[in-house]
Amino acid sequence: LAVHAHLQWGLSRDQASQLLCAQQHILRLALAPTFTPSRSWNPTYDIRTAIKHLNIDPIIVRSVCCPACFRQYSTDDFPVRCDWKELGRCRKVCGEPLTMQRWTQSQGCVTVPRRLYSLQSFDDWIQWFLQRPGVEELLERSWLHRPATAGMRTLWDTPLWQENLAPYSLTPGNLVLGLFYDSFNPLHNKIAGKVVSCGVIIAVILNLPHELWRQPGNFYLVGMTPPPGGPSPVTITALLDPVVDMLQPYASGQLVQTNLHPEGRSIAVRLIPTIMDKLAAHKANGFGSHSCTYFCPNCLCTLDQLEQLDIENWTLRTSDAVREAAAEWTSAQTLTKRKALFKSSGIRGSALHRLTYRDHVQHNTIGVMHNILEGVLQHHFRRKWGFADSIPASNSDDLSGSAIPNAEDMEIDEDAAQAARHAQEQRELDSELDHLRLELVNRSEEASSNARYRAVNVSTLTLSVSDHSSDPDYIPEAENSDDSDDSDGSDWEEQSDVPRPAFGARQTRTALIPTFDPTEVAQIRVALGEMIWPTWFDPPPPDIGAKRHGKLKAIQWLNLFARCLPLDLVERWTTSPSPRQQNLLENFCNLVSSVNIVTSYESTEAGADSYLAHFVAYRRSVRELWPEQHSVPNHHYAMHLAAQMKLWGPPMLLSEFPFESAIGEVQDINTNNHYADMDLTMLRRMCQKQRFLVGILHADSHLLEERLENGPAATLREGHRHLEQLPTFEYDSILALLSAKQEPHQHHRQLTYQDNIPVLTRQARPLKNVVVHGRKYGVRTVHEGNSLIWCRVQPGHTGVGFISSLWAVEVNGMDRIFGVLSCLDRVPEAADPFSAYPLLECRIYEDRDTERREVFEAADIISHLGARRRPVGTFGIESNVLVMCNLNQSRIPQ
């Protein structure tokens, strides 16, 4: 208990030791009448000793590390100052001091290394990992897997696994590693205080099922880079060289003792994909930054070709050419020669180039989390729509008053709406000198509409360079072209996109005219609050666009664009639309369609082509809608995702989400802000936590394997409840459903029973909640959002509606969960505007009780649905409706 509280809950060392002491005293008191301690019984009262007894300490290899260039030295023999040179002929050495004085109580003032680089021994980790029960059985699946014919749902279905890496990937004992690197602030503070950067290197075995990557002990925490600074594109090689050194001996196989082969078996390990955000990937793989002339690691397009959309005419890089350019850069004898080579190719030498089995182009994956969600979507929201700038921060608090219409105000007719908007805008114009310094922008709409005014913050019209300090989209002007090509991009946020620089001139931001006026912003916020979501859904903040809520998470960007906004904007831009609104709708639908394809957990070649077609259409319409704004590198990188989908399968399987989650766990470890040992503390504590959860709490792979073998079985959310008699409709429907599933049962009132056919009991336990596929579902009376589902009601048929009741019924000696679905009717396709945009995955249903009931089994639930209620007359439909969106992302096959 004390160790668990220390490692899992973050209890401090002193508090955990006190808890351990209390446990010992409780044990003594409980056993006092019968317990006589022997001489060998020696209870510990120090949590560190308890952890040592559990044998969960990893083997950590440490080396003296230069704080400036990150070169490593042996802890037994290292100079006082770093003697690293970028080239042997260079006169300039690093010269950074490697030692410092530290006061200790036992020895007084001692000389110690300033920084130490900590890595977890791969030899120790791979042996510990393979000695866990059930792990080898899980790995066996990847070697015996036969690819699906309909589509790619796992990495093992992809051409890369079945063809490019074969026969290596299909040979038993051969493992494929994916590498992740990113930096984070261990102090949590992102606005004020000390800025500290600490890097984390993680590897995951791709032979494991993707759903197990997040489980404790299933990823290899390689090491932590020492704070407070991060490496440059040149010095990152010093950090990756030891990692490559640990993995190189396993390329051809090493003898490792495993659970099924205690005598040892040959295990080969190869590092194939890098799964990182673009900034880290460019550094690790030796490519130039976003401001480099040859900025793209996949093709030879230059910055002045960012607007080109004819991807079939792009010149793609090849692995041989990259390796040759990297070797030439590495062998150059002067810095001038290196700079010239880099400018001509955009490639530097990297430690990963030593891995000759890698394809240095195709094995560098594009992370959909940073590129699409926190890149393209954020850029569109902020820079194209100007949503974040449409309401000044100083006036954002006033929106909770009369500026935000209530639900009744949202249903007024068009003329009244026009008048209300005009009155609101006029009040803002009257107070512009005192509050907002607004400029009047007159934009004519339709001939029958009144003139509409949009308020624009004057401060966004002419910004100097100093005004861009908080803008992640801005590229600072370089003093000369050589330095700009050599920049590592460390001044930019890695999750943001970077716009094309204005060559030969000072970069200034184009004036932003917000797409939505303040009244429309208020209406969108009200609409977001009206939507119905399940409890696991992470919606955007209700004051979207205001500065006070901070940055959105990647999943919130996805939910905002792909789930929430379609339920409002399609209605907004199809009701008496102007030509510009029609173009805005097409632009938005192309963007969301491409996002839905690329974030799906199933991909096909046709889907990849559809993604590219929609994204190209999106970029073309962007030119027409915002001709004064340029594309950014993230738009270009996203064009290469189509080819990646054909080779690697669904991009979500290689996204950064599992690794960012691990960073969050590392970041929460208490280090007392001791810089000298901060990285070691986080590395050791995280490794101890993993091994403790696996070994002590029995979170082992054989349990996970059993869970996978049994499929997505439903689990109860409450304890035993009293048995009740199933109503006649439910009983007869369950009997018919079991028969349709080729599981015939006899009615309990049948006069003559047939042998070998079980009788279905009438007794069942009523339930309120159930968990299926890791999601919580429940009856409508408990939570409406958790009850709105899409499920299979009969073999080959699906239904949409609310769960009205749930029952646990004993079938063949096992509890199986069935539910009753109150079905909803879809409106005619001709009346549904979403039928023109099928990839939005939205549909309209009538919001009324159809009195049609269907019985389903909980294991047949496909997904939740999100919804928004709309009144009579919406889209010209003569009834109340529910505008719904699918939340499945193809996780569950339809």
Side-chain angles (χ1 to χ4, degrees), residues 7-25:
L7 298 178
Q8 180 74 1
W9 302 334
L11 206 64
S12 69
R13 190 171 67 190
D14 290 341
Q15 291 171 332
S17 297
Q18 293 174 14
L19 177 59
L20 186 64
C21 181
Q23 286 181 262
Q24 300 289 350
H25 286 296

Side-chain angles (χ1 to χ4, degrees), residues 354-428:
R354 295 166 49 195
L355 304 175
T356 56
Y357 52 78
R358 290 190 77 243
D359 187 307
H360 300 293
V361 177
Q362 292 184 342
H363 294 170
N364 302 328
T365 62
I366 301 172
V368 67
M369 173 181 169
H370 289 91
N371 174 243
I372 296 294
L373 306 185
E374 292 185 341
V376 173
L377 296 187
Q378 181 180 189
H379 175 87
H380 188 89
F381 186 81
R382 296 179 65 251
R383 299 295 305 132
K384 296 301 186 286
W385 285 349
F387 202 102
D389 296 324
S390 58
I391 297 181
S394 60
N395 197 37
S396 59
D397 293 336
D398 297 335
L399 294 176
S400 58
S402 59
I404 299 182
N406 54 34
E408 290 79 14
D409 295 333
M410 299 290 288
E411 300 177 8
I412 58 178
D413 61 358
E414 183 61 21
D415 292 336
Q418 293 280 2
R421 283 196 294 266
H422 182 77
Q424 172 65 21
E425 290 158 326
Q426 187 62 46
R427 285 194 297 270
E428 293 176 345

Side-chain angles (χ1 to χ4, degrees), residues 132 215-216 692-704:
R132 292 166 49 191
Q215 299 296 332
F692 175 79
L693 292 177
V694 169
I696 305 302
L697 300 182
H698 307 289
D700 227 327
S701 296
H702 67 283
L703 299 178
L704 301 171

Side-chain angles (χ1 to χ4, degrees), residues 263-297:
E263 74 284 356
R265 70 180 295 185
S266 177
I267 297 294
V269 180
R270 293 186 179 181
L271 194 157
I272 300 298
T274 51
I275 310 171
M276 311 175 185
D277 63 76
K278 294 305 295 181
L279 183 61
H282 284 211
K283 282 185 178 183
N285 291 286
F287 293 103
S289 69
H290 304 315
S291 64
C292 175
T293 301
Y294 293 99
F295 65 97
C296 181

Side-chain angles (χ1 to χ4, degrees), residues 2-228:
V3 174
H4 181 76
H6 179 56
L7 298 178
Q8 180 74 1
W9 302 334
L11 206 64
S12 69
R13 190 171 67 190
D14 290 341
Q15 291 171 332
S17 297
Q18 293 174 14
L19 177 59
L20 186 64
C21 181
Q23 286 181 262
Q24 300 289 350
H25 286 296
I26 293 173
L27 185 61
R28 281 178 177 273
L29 292 174
L31 301 178
T34 59
F35 176 65
T36 303
S38 63
R39 294 182 179 180
S40 61
W41 189 67
N42 183 25
T44 178
Y45 300 104
D46 192 320
I47 194 65
R48 292 171 294 183
T49 307
I51 292 175
K52 184 178 179 180
H53 289 333
L54 291 175
N55 196 27
I56 58 175
D57 277 320
I59 296 178
I60 296 179
V61 181
R62 308 198 76 190
S63 57
V64 178
C65 181
C66 174
C69 68
F70 294 93
R71 179 184 176 180
Q72 285 103 52
Y73 300 88
S74 170
T75 55
D76 299 327
D77 184 20
F78 58 92
V80 177
R81 290 182 175 271
C82 178
D83 55 7
W84 176 80
K85 299 179 181 180
E86 185 171 348
L87 289 172
R89 296 177 57 183
C90 289
R91 297 180 180 179
K92 183 180 178 180
V93 298
C94 175
E96 184 74 13
L98 301 179
T99 62
M100 66 178 183
Q101 301 296 315
R102 176 181 290 179
W103 176 264
T104 63
Q105 293 182 350
S106 58
Q107 302 179 19
C109 187
V110 296
T111 300
V112 297
R114 288 178 60 192
R115 294 290 180 269
L116 290 166
Y117 183 32
S118 304
L119 294 174
Q120 183 182 186
S121 169
F122 183 74
D123 295 335
D124 174 65
W125 182 86
I126 193 66
Q127 182 165 316
W128 169 82
F129 177 74
L130 294 176
Q131 286 181 348
R132 292 166 49 191
V135 166
E136 288 178 276
E137 291 84 348
L138 289 174
L139 299 177
E140 194 76 23
R141 297 183 181 189
S142 67
W143 302 321
L144 302 178
H145 183 78
R146 294 296 175 261
T149 56
M152 295 175 281
R153 300 190 63 85
T154 72
L155 290 176
W156 311 335
D157 292 327
T158 63
L160 181 127
W161 193 276
Q162 295 293 331
E163 300 171 12
N164 296 39
L165 297 182
Y168 173 84
S169 57
L170 306 179
T171 303
N174 292 351
L175 304 179
V176 177
L177 278 186
L179 186 70
F180 172 84
Y181 167 77
D182 201 359
S183 57
F184 64 96
N185 186 350
L187 302 181
H188 288 271
N189 54 334
K190 298 181 180 180
I191 299 177
K194 298 178 180 179
V195 178
V196 178
S197 175
C198 186
V200 59
I201 306 174
I202 299 174
V204 63
I205 294 180
L206 304 185
N207 302 75
L208 285 174
H210 178 265
E211 53 267 39
L212 300 185
W213 288 9
R214 293 175 184 249
Q215 299 296 332
N218 286 350
F219 61 85
Y220 168 43
L221 185 55
V222 182
M224 309 285 297
T225 65

